Amino acid sequence: MRAKPFGWAAAIMAVLALALPCQAQDAPGAPSGVTTIPGNQLPAPPPAFGGVIEQTAPNSRPWWPPRIVPPAGAPNVLLILTDDSGFGVPSTFGGVIPTPALDRIANEGLRYTNFHSTALCSPTRAALITGRNHHSAGFGVVSEQATGFPGYNSIISKDKATVGRILKDNGYATSWFGKNHNTPAFQASQVGPFDQWPIGMGFDYFFGFVGGDTNQWEPNLFRNTTQIYPFQGKPGWNLVTAMADDAIDYLNRVNALLPDQPFFLYYAPGATHAPHHPTPEWIKTISDMHLFDGGWNKLREQIFANQKRLGVIPQDAQLTPWPSDLLKEWDQLSADEKKLFIRQADVFAAYAAYNDHEIGRVIQAVSDLGKLDNTLIIYINGDNGTSAEGTLIGTPNEMAMFNGVNPPVDVQLRDYYDIWGSDKTYNHMAVPWAWAFDTPFSWTKQIVSHLGGVRQGMAISWPKVIKDKGGIRNQFHHVIDIAPTLLEASGIRQPDQVDGIRQSPIEGVSMAYTFGKESANAPSTHVTQYFEMMGDRAIYNDGWMAGTKVMRAPWENIPPKASVLNYPWELYDLRKDWTQSQDLAAQNPGKLKEMQDLFWQEARKYQVLPLDTSFVSRAITPRPSITAGRNMFTWTRPLTGTPNGDAPSVLNTSYTFKAEIEVPDTGAEGMLITQGGRFGGYGFYLVNSKPVFLWNLVDLKRVRWEGPKLAPGKHQVAFDFRYDGLGPATLAFGDYSGVGQGGTGVLTVDGKDVASQRMEHTIPFTLQFDESLDIGSDTLTGVNDSDYQPPFAFTGKIDKITLSLDHPKLTAEDERRLKAAERAASDAQ
């Protein structure tokens, strides 16, 4: 359904491709010899020895295998992807937040106004680096929600080599900085496997974090596959700056060692995904600008006017209506609400501006090296629309939202206003700001059926090739089109085989045809594109878009009761209705049926089935981790950094911790075992030789068991928790009553009960995303700042720590009752 690239760009790239035949560019066999490769097979087969071998070395002639280099003229590539940022966020596309680095790329190159994501993090990123649709690449949802179907298992299969791997094997220096949300959550531990990590997917160097988000002050940071802690002892350290520093160091290192080698640098900061963690200086800078004092309704109007002035939307475009049935108007708010919400927006905007500033430093580093002219820079603003996962009133802790709780406005204002954005918050803003930052469209991140979730502003510059400086391109394109664009620009083909495995076809099309001024209004070569995310779905075809009505708002955790097959559909003619504001479904049922049929055709083609409307409940879906099928765990020495996806979970179950320890004559303190951190988790530790077990309930409450001071010598301290609920098995019946229930915990010392209390509620779905399970000390943040500060290494001796799990099981009567309730709910629809 997609046409092939055409026009001047294809001809230019054909010139670059003249270098493709396997030919040495220096003396064959010399130590300095180089060659290009055909690229049909990666890695390239070893070349035949071209020297002479006689009986003795003096009579023989050595010959060295040549170093592989890209085709002559191949550009450097700087691929930038920010996070959770909608069309109306940056100044480049009409926003009020200053983004001079994105402005620079747009002014030196082209603005793309009709470019699309998948509406969610991992899926967009998988599509970006493979050139395949996100379900084709195994990422129908984020990796933390993976299920056991090909389109949803979070595994990029070996027949879909990344563009990093292709460029690397063709002679590029490849690197990845920032967010890696494409390693399966169940393959992120120290035992690997590492083939789904950046260094296993074609990137020589990785500096960043694994997972959906991270604390920018104390991140779960890796260099290649080794966790590092460069922030320790450095107050004010922030990953946004540190990442730019490391990328600049890398560029200079590559240039110093091999200045002629082109680089491919994939730069993917965590901003502006929650938590919103800019520096205090940036918060003050933005706050002093008073950008948001007029509220979210006036902000939309201002952005909309700016967009028309810039020409990034048509002059006859209509602003989609404010959803008054879902979100309050600004004038309906109290003074306290306005004060809190302005603070939230100021911090978000500071985060966006700070991030763009640091990106600008990386771009300037390329310029300082004299490499800007032949560097293809692609700057994509957001991997999806702005996030509406912050609840209707915002939250100081995103973990609370995902577990279905949140402090009210008065508590947020009292306890968190002055520290919003600091290391004491895992903050997210109120939903109406997200809606406004997706102007002129409706809806937000997670929603594919409406453009607010998938329309991303993008700028591309390549001074050597793109001469239409400041030009605007309105052709429909999708994130799967980036990889083929990079291949065409570099004169490198998609390989037929990689590591002996035949490759599936790249599903995107190159955008290089849009680079010339004469192609400004050329028809799009991307004709058809499906969209699907958690049951919400749409289909684009040649200017028309049909999609389902939104049945679950992104700030709601419970899936809709309606069958996914019964969702109502809408129809839009985007050729005349740029903002998707006029539903034509009732007027044109024939066209709607045609589009619906096309969706199912594409869904079957690209592994979209089966449709699944669940959301947070997927977080506790059983997966093939190193803990799968195990109920007993033993540790005999300190071990830190086991991520949640590879750690045993004590959520929604009964469990027992036993620690056999030795207390020295001087007493002991320190961590025995912990999982999570300041924003949600548990810890079992000693304070002044007193054993403590503590549950941090998403930073809203802490439940603490404490025993008496331990005498020197050997002891067994244990914590036993008996869970009252039926467990996550109830979710299979659409019933959430089995999760998040309470229970009774008992702390014992040497077999004697020393503390017992009931906990009325437990965490149902997730501990803090970016923290880990630690034995013997506590990395990153602690679960209780008033008791200790990390690393809080245990000063006694750990002989053994065991954890046993006792999962609840549904009885036949439980299943009968749950099935009856499920049928009754279905009949009531």
Side-chain angles (χ1 to χ4, degrees), residues 579-646:
T579 60
Q580 199 184 24
S581 60
Q582 299 175 32
D583 179 12
L584 304 177
Q587 300 168 234
N588 202 336
K591 185 65 176 180
L592 178 60
K593 178 62 165 59
E594 174 191 325
M595 296 288 283
Q596 290 171 317
D597 290 345
L598 181 58
F599 171 81
W600 290 113
Q601 176 182 314
E602 297 290 284
R604 286 186 288 269
K605 182 177 179 181
Y606 294 117
Q607 300 189 157
V608 179
L609 305 179
L611 299 181
D612 185 347
T613 62
S614 62
F615 180 48
V616 293
S617 59
R618 292 198 213 189
I620 50 179
T621 295
R623 298 183 183 90
S625 74
I626 57 177
T627 65
R630 297 169 59 191
N631 293 318
M632 178 66 72
F633 302 86
T634 302
W635 299 270
T636 58
R637 58 184 300 159
L639 176 68
T640 61
T642 304
N644 288 342
D646 283 305

Side-chain angles (χ1 to χ4, degrees), residues 17 36 102 111 181 200 228 244 251 330 403 420 430 443 476 536 547 625 639 646 653 710 811:
T36 57
L102 184 53
R111 280 178 176 85
H181 207 185
I228 58 175
L251 286 170
W330 185 256
N403 285 291
W420 202 271
W443 289 99
F476 179 95
D536 188 61
S625 74
L639 176 68
D646 283 305
T653 189
L710 300 180
T811 65

Side-chain angles (χ1 to χ4, degrees), residues 281-415:
E281 295 80 8
W282 276 99
I283 294 176
K284 183 178 188 309
T285 295
I286 294 298
S287 297
D288 288 348
M289 296 172 71
H290 297 281
L291 298 174
F292 308 107
D293 290 3
W296 41 62
N297 299 106
K298 289 184 178 178
L299 176 64
R300 282 190 97 218
E301 295 170 2
Q302 182 178 356
I303 293 173
F304 187 61
N306 291 346
Q307 290 169 337
K308 287 194 173 182
R309 176 178 52 80
L310 289 171
V312 295
I313 63 173
Q315 293 304 305
D316 62 354
Q318 301 296 309
L319 179 60
T320 51
W322 183 258
S324 299
D325 56 329
L326 297 174
L327 308 176
K328 286 184 178 181
E329 303 272 351
W330 185 256
D331 291 342
Q332 296 175 311
L333 303 178
S334 68
D336 280 352
E337 288 173 323
K338 290 179 179 179
K339 179 180 178 181
L340 175 65
F341 297 156
I342 289 171
R343 177 67 167 179
Q344 294 173 359
D346 280 343
V347 171
F348 170 82
Y351 196 28
Y354 171 36
N355 184 52
D356 180 82
H357 171 79
E358 296 299 323
I359 289 171
R361 291 179 55 226
V362 177
I363 295 170
Q364 186 57 44
V366 176
S367 180
D368 292 343
L369 291 172
K371 294 179 179 289
L372 193 63
D373 186 57
N374 195 31
T375 297
L376 172 59
I377 300 179
I378 301 177
Y379 189 153
I380 306 170
N381 177 67
D383 55 0
N384 42 244
T386 317
S387 173
E389 296 162 354
T391 82
L392 294 173
I393 59 171
T395 179
N397 181 7
E398 188 188 30
M399 297 303 105
M401 176 271 176
F402 284 116
N403 285 291
V405 293
N406 196 42
V409 167
D410 61 330
V411 173
Q412 293 191 41
L413 197 60
R414 182 192 68 209
D415 295 343

